[in-house]
Amino acid sequence: MTVTLAPAPVVSADGTPIAYTSTGTGPVVVFVDGALCHRAFGPGPALAAQLAAHHTVLTYDRRGRGASGDTAPYDVDREIEDLAAIIAAAGGTAYLVGISSGSALALRAATAGIGVRKVAVYEPPFTTDEAGAADFAGYVRNLRAALAEDRHGDAVAELMLYAGAPAPAVEQMRAAPMWPAFEAVAPTLAYDAAALGIDTGAGVPAGLLADITVPVLAVDGDASPETLRAPTRAVAAAIPAAGYISLPGQTHDVAPAVLAPVLVDFFA
C-alpha cells in the first residue's frame, strides 16, 4: 500500500520555507513542475501515484506557489537552492523529473553539485530559431507589463496566448473555476521565464547542457507541435550522456500512465 505523507517544509538557504509531499517507497524522485502548477494543481500527484510502487516521489511547491514562501529578490539560483534543500532532506541524492519549463530548472540543477543522479525532462519549451526567440521576447515584455500593474489575469492570459491558445478560448478560460488559482501564482511566470533564459530568448543553453555529466532522458509526444519537439531533440543532442524518446499519441499534456513506465525504465 502506498502511503502519502506531508512532512514539515524544508528551509532553503535564504530562509524560504518550501513545502513538499512524499509518496511511495524506493529511490527518491523529485518532480519539478512547470508554469502555474504546484502540488494542488498540476500533473505531479498523478505521476507520483504511478511511480509510487518503485520510488519515493517528492512533489513540492516551487517558491511563490502553494504553501511555499517567496523571499525577494528572485534569482534562479535560489530555486536551485530550494531543490538542494529538498534533496538533502531526502538523503542527499535524487533523480529529477522536469515538466515543461520545470525542465529548464531541473537541467540547471544537474550542474550544481546538489546530488542529482539522473534527469528526465518532458518537452522543455526552449526556442530553436530567431522567430521563436522574438516571440519569447515579446511574451516577456507583455508579462512584465502586466505584473508591474498587478494585472495577474492578463499575465496568465499572456502565457496562454504565447503557448498558442486562441484568444477567444483564453477569454472563456477567465470564467473557469481554476482561473483564480492561476492568478494566485501569476508572479511566478517571471521565474519560469528567467529559468528558460530571458537574455537569450529562451534559446537552448548548449554551453550549460554540455557540462551535464549525469544521464539525461529528453522526452516529447509525437502529437505535440514542432516548437516543443525541436527543443527536446536539441537538448538531447547537446548533452553528452543523453537519450531521446518520443511517446506515440502524446501532447504537452502528457498522460502520467504513459510517461511513468518510461521513467521507471530510465531510473532503474
Side-chain angles (χ1 to χ4, degrees):
M1 181 177 67
T2 298
V3 178
T4 301
L5 303 173
V10 298
V11 178
S12 193
D14 69 349
T16 304
I18 303 297
Y20 72 104
T21 298
S22 176
T23 305
T25 58
V28 174
V29 173
V30 180
F31 183 83
V32 187
D33 269 310
L36 300 177
C37 295
H38 49 93
R39 292 178 301 161
F41 186 86
L47 187 60
Q50 291 285 333
L51 295 174
H54 304 273
H55 292 280
T56 298
V57 185
L58 306 184
T59 52
Y60 76 106
D61 293 339
R62 289 175 57 185
R63 60 173 54 208
R65 311 182 192 193
S68 291
D70 191 14
T71 304
Y74 176 80
D75 190 279
V76 176
D77 287 344
R78 303 294 80 77
E79 287 219 71
I80 293 175
E81 290 170 355
D82 300 345
L83 272 170
I86 291 172
I87 292 172
T93 61
Y95 304 123
L96 299 184
V97 177
I99 298 291
S100 190
S101 55
S103 299
L105 183 59
L107 291 168
R108 291 181 184 277
T111 67
I114 61 173
V116 176
R117 298 175 62 188
K118 292 183 179 181
V119 181
V121 294
Y122 189 81
E123 296 191 346
F126 293 115
T127 61
T128 57
D129 55 32
E130 292 183 2
D135 287 344
F136 180 78
Y139 160 66
V140 170
R141 285 194 300 271
N142 295 339
L143 174 65
R144 284 174 164 169
L147 292 177
E149 298 171 5
D150 290 328
R151 295 184 284 109
H152 290 184
D154 290 344
V156 175
E158 289 296 341
L159 171 68
M160 294 182 173
L161 292 170
Y162 172 64
V170 174
E171 287 304 310
Q172 290 179 355
M173 282 287 291
R174 286 179 181 264
M178 76 283 289
W179 192 262
F182 289 159
E183 290 189 347
V185 296
T188 66
L189 292 174
Y191 305 171
D192 288 280
L196 286 166
I198 291 175
D199 294 337
T200 64
V204 175
L208 179 140
L209 298 179
D211 290 336
I212 296 177
T213 58
V214 299
V216 173
L217 180 65
V219 186
D220 66 23
D222 71 1
S224 286
E226 184 63 12
T227 51
L228 290 171
R229 301 191 68 200
T232 306
R233 295 192 300 269
V235 164
I239 299 172
Y244 166 74
I245 292 178
S246 190
L247 302 179
Q250 294 301 300
T251 65
H252 199 54
D253 186 20
V254 63
V258 175
L259 179 59
V262 174
L263 299 177
V264 170
D265 286 346
F266 176 57
F267 293 143

